[in-house]
């Protein structure tokens, strides 16, 4: 009898340990989101060939640069009716479950995803749920899936005459949209979605779609909306855009606004909390093509803003070619290959930042255990300084947001001890030296 009891206890212990291990494994799939970075891939303009196979050759270089997540702009076929330019917009889909032949075949894409996973990447794809192109397959098979004007014609999306809007009061359409999203997870084993114009779609669709699609596997959900403007969407998505910040920083630079306005805005973003993350960026496909390169928009503070994007609380997002750096606006509706020259002058810059983001717990995005402190300096009208902490780990970031060189000191109770500069190596002991000098466009990132 005693032996049976002992065996039962041992068995229960084994089951308990096994359960703990399983639970731990179940928690792990989402952890990568906190330390990841996102690299937006414009397949059309990335190579002369403009194909998945051609881009695949670039992936080892990007992995060596520290890139962790690849976001592919829409990979579905482009509608030809009312198409813009000679090649059309990838955001005007003709079919949700096929590959744009411009990029290759379904097998090519599956091969790319498999190779990306082998190299250690996650892969997310652009998902355009608000609208389709004019001759999307649904316009023939299910015209009731669309919004219609009083005269019966398809309703054109706001400001974009090559696309028409879907009707989210139609539950059958919703079901088909969810099935289309499942298709890419099931068939290609992708790791998530970047949801285009997410706030143009009713929030209850995303609330319905996410758990249904995730019956296949846990996914990363990046929504194109600003949580300051659409807080209800933040309950569904892992990360959201920071459009308000992006526009405000451009306005700050071009119109010489007080730096305090940026600091006040950061406090508003921080007040949202850590149930979701913010995605920080200096450019993307829309901004580059329509509003200018990051250097046109931000001038001498472009690089400090790039540092900010990686070291502030959230997830950094960069665009194809920023590692050059890219100094030209890329055409959107026609072929216009990035001007690669074999010199990736910004690659080490991003590698240093991405590796720090990946390895230092203080930079984990949306981690309730981490904290961010804006610091008091003797040049608060010119310098943005902050320290992020998570247990014993700390990262100090100091950015020159002015148009002149600046000397200053940091005298703040939130920073003390010895820090090492991650770019140049020097060590600073704040017990002995609190002074800094930053040239125009200067920055310092230090850890302890």
């Amino acid at each position: 009898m005693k032996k049976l009891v002992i065996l039962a206890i041992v068995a229960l212990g084994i089951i308990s340990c096994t359960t703990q291990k399983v639970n731990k494994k179940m928690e792990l799939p989402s952890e990568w989101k906190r330390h990841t970075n996102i690299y937006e891939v414009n397949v059309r303009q990335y190579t002369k060939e403009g194909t998945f196979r051609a881009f695949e050759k670039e992936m080892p270089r990007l992995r060596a640069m520290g890139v962790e997540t690849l976001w592919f702009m829409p990979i579905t076929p482009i509608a030809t009716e009312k198409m813009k330019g000679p090649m059309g917009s990838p955001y005007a889909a003709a079919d949700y479950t096929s590959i744009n032949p411009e990029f290759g075949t379904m097998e090519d894409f599956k091969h790319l995803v498999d190779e990306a996973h082998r190299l250690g990447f996650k892969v997310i794809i652009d998902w355009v749920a608000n609208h389709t192109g004019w001759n999307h397959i649904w316009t023939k098979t299910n015209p009731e899936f669309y919004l219609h004007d009083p005269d019966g014609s398809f309703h054109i999306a706001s400001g974009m005459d090559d696309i028409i809007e879907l009707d989210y009061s139609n539950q059958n359409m919703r079901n088909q949209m969810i099935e289309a999203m499942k298709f890419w997870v099931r068939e290609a084993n992708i790791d998530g979605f970047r949801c285009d114009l997410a706030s143009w779609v009713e929030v209850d669709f995303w609330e319905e779609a996410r758990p249904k699609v995730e019956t296949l596997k846990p996914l990363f959900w990046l929504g194109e909306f600003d949580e300051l403007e659409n807080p209800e969407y933040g309950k569904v998505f892992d990360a959201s855009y920071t459009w308000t910040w992006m526009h405000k920083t451009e306005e700050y630079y071009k119109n010489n606004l007080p730096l305090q306005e940026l600091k006040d805005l950061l406090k508003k973003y921080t007040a949202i909390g850590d149930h979701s993350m913010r995605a920080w960026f200096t450019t993307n496909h829309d901004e580059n093509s329509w509003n200018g390169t990051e250097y046109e928009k931000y001038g001498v503070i472009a690089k400090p803003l790039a540092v900010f994007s990686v070291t502030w609380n959230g997830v950094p997002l960069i665009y194809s070619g920023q590692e050059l750096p890219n100094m030209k606006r890329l055409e959107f509706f026609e072929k216009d290959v990035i001007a690669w020259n074999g010199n990736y002058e910004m690659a080490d810059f991003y590698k240093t930042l991405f590796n720090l983001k990946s390895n230092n717990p203080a930079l984990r995005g949306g981690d309730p255990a981490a904290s961010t402190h804006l610091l008091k300096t003797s040049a608060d009208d010119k310098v943005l300084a902050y320290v992020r902490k998570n247990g014993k780990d700390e990262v100090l970031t100091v950015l020159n947001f002015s148009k002149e060189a600046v000397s200053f000191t940091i005298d703040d109770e939130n920073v003390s001890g010895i820090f090492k500069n991650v770019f140049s190596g020097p060590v600073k002991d704040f017990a002995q030296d609190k002074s800094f000098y930053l040239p125009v466009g200067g920055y310092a990132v230090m850890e302890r």
Side-chain angles (χ1 to χ4, degrees):
M1 187 67 176
K2 284 184 178 179
K3 286 185 178 178
L4 288 174
V5 171
I6 292 169
L7 286 172
I9 292 170
V10 171
L12 284 171
I14 291 171
I15 291 170
S16 176
C17 290
T18 303
T19 303
Q20 288 177 7
K21 288 179 181 178
V22 170
N23 287 340
K24 188 175 182 182
K25 286 181 180 178
M26 288 175 65
E27 292 171 0
L28 290 177
S30 65
E31 286 304 296
W32 65 269
K33 301 173 186 179
R34 297 193 186 281
H35 62 70
T36 198
N37 55 72
I38 302 172
Y39 184 97
E40 180 185 4
V41 181
N42 185 336
V43 178
R44 173 182 288 174
Q45 313 299 21
Y46 213 93
T47 63
K48 177 173 58 69
E49 300 88 348
T51 63
F52 294 134
R53 291 285 182 168
F55 173 75
E56 213 175 286
K57 297 174 184 176
E58 303 291 331
M59 294 197 307
R61 171 180 66 80
L62 293 175
R63 193 70 185 111
M65 194 174 88
V67 173
E68 294 199 352
T69 297
L70 299 170
W71 151 32
F72 288 86
M73 289 171 64
I75 58 175
T76 50
I78 296 171
T80 53
E81 186 177 344
K82 300 184 188 292
M83 185 175 73
K84 289 191 173 183
M87 300 182 77
S89 168
Y91 292 87
D95 182 2
Y96 280 121
T97 56
S98 298
I99 287 288
N100 182 351
E102 174 189 341
F103 301 152
T105 66
M106 182 66 76
E107 289 308 309
D108 289 336
F109 183 67
K110 290 180 180 180
H111 187 276
L112 183 152
V113 176
D114 287 344
E115 180 63 11
H117 285 161
R118 187 187 71 79
L119 291 170
F121 290 108
K122 301 292 185 180
V123 175
I124 65 175
I125 63 171
D126 223 315
W127 196 255
V128 189
N130 177 71
H131 52 262
T132 75
W134 280 82
N135 59 324
H136 187 282
I137 189 171
W138 285 354
T139 63
K140 309 296 189 297
T141 62
N142 298 89
E144 73 278 9
F145 283 4
Y146 292 84
L147 294 175
H148 295 265
D149 290 334
D151 65 359
S153 60
F154 293 120
H155 181 70
I156 299 172
S158 176
M160 294 171 278
D161 56 13
D162 62 332
I163 52 178
I164 49 179
E165 295 200 329
L166 291 161
D167 180 3
Y168 275 84
S169 69
N170 187 310
Q171 186 59 47
N172 188 24
M173 188 280 292
R174 287 178 174 233
N175 294 341
Q176 291 301 309
M177 182 69 73
I178 291 168
E179 285 305 309
M181 298 179 84
K182 282 184 174 181
F183 171 88
W184 293 102
V185 181
R186 186 174 57 248
E187 297 299 318
N189 195 27
I190 64 165
D191 303 294
F193 298 93
R194 178 269 184 186
C195 299
D196 182 69
L197 294 172
S199 59
W200 285 24
V201 177
E202 284 82 345
V203 68
D204 64 357
F205 168 74
W206 300 117
E207 291 171 336
E208 176 187 4
R210 178 165 184 170
K212 288 182 177 179
V213 180
E214 286 195 335
T215 58
L216 300 175
K217 66 184 280 190
L219 300 169
F220 182 69
W221 298 74
L222 169 63
E224 188 190 12
F225 67 94
D226 191 311
E227 203 167 346
L228 288 178
E229 300 171 354
N230 304 102
E232 67 276 19
Y233 286 78
K235 299 170 185 174
V236 187
F237 288 85
D238 293 302
S240 57
Y241 274 48
T242 49
W243 288 119
T244 307
W245 170 258
M246 190 210 69
H247 293 305
K248 194 68 171 181
T249 48
E250 181 178 4
E251 186 185 1
Y252 163 82
Y253 179 74
K254 291 181 175 178
N255 298 334
N256 299 311
L257 298 183
L259 182 55
Q260 188 60 44
E261 291 194 19
L262 296 187
K263 295 177 182 179
D264 291 342
L265 180 55
L266 289 177
K267 292 174 183 177
K268 291 180 181 179
Y269 277 115
T270 299
I272 292 172
D274 287 321
H275 58 274
S276 65
M277 296 183 292
R278 261 58 65 199
W280 306 95
F281 55 95
T282 57
T283 190
N284 57 33
H285 63 274
D286 284 320
E287 287 302 306
N288 172 272
S289 292
W290 311 120
N291 298 324
T293 69
E294 59 195 304
Y295 301 97
E296 288 181 75
K297 291 169 48 180
Y298 302 121
V300 297
I301 68 166
K303 210 166 180 182
L305 277 170
V307 174
F308 169 88
S309 298
V310 185
T311 57
W312 191 260
N313 186 16
V315 55
L317 188 162
I318 71 169
Y319 182 44
S320 299
Q322 281 194 263
E323 67 268 37
L324 269 175
N326 176 38
M327 296 293 189
K328 77 168 182 174
R329 302 187 184 193
L330 300 174
E331 293 292 337
F332 204 79
F333 306 118
E334 59 188 83
K335 189 71 175 174
D336 186 20
V337 181
I338 296 167
W340 302 109
N341 56 16
N343 297 319
Y344 308 102
E345 295 176 15
M346 297 284 284
D348 284 344
F349 168 82
Y350 281 113
K351 180 178 181 178
T352 298
L353 291 171
F354 287 165
N355 286 343
L356 183 67
K357 166 77 173 174
S358 297
N359 297 321
N360 194 306
L363 296 188
R364 285 166 57 86
D367 187 345
S371 60
T372 308
H373 307 272
L374 284 169
L375 301 175
K376 179 69 177 173
T377 79
S378 61
D380 278 348
D381 58 334
K382 297 179 176 67
V383 170
L384 182 69
Y386 51 92
V387 63
R388 300 200 62 219
K389 303 182 180 185
N390 193 335
K392 63 180 178 57
D393 297 290
E394 299 184 19
V395 173
L396 169 66
T397 303
V398 188
L399 308 170
N400 185 355
F401 270 16
S402 74
K403 298 174 182 177
E404 58 189 42
V406 58
S407 296
F408 60 97
T409 57
I410 295 178
D411 193 359
D412 192 295
E413 61 183 10
N414 285 302
V415 60
S416 61
I418 300 172
F419 286 77
K420 180 181 179 181
N421 192 306
V422 300
F423 284 101
S424 56
V427 170
K428 179 179 288 289
D429 184 349
F430 275 83
Q432 300 178 17
D433 181 13
K434 300 177 182 180
S435 64
F436 283 83
Y437 168 80
L438 292 178
V440 176
Y443 53 88
V445 181
M446 314 180 84
E447 66 176 337
R448 66 178 297 240

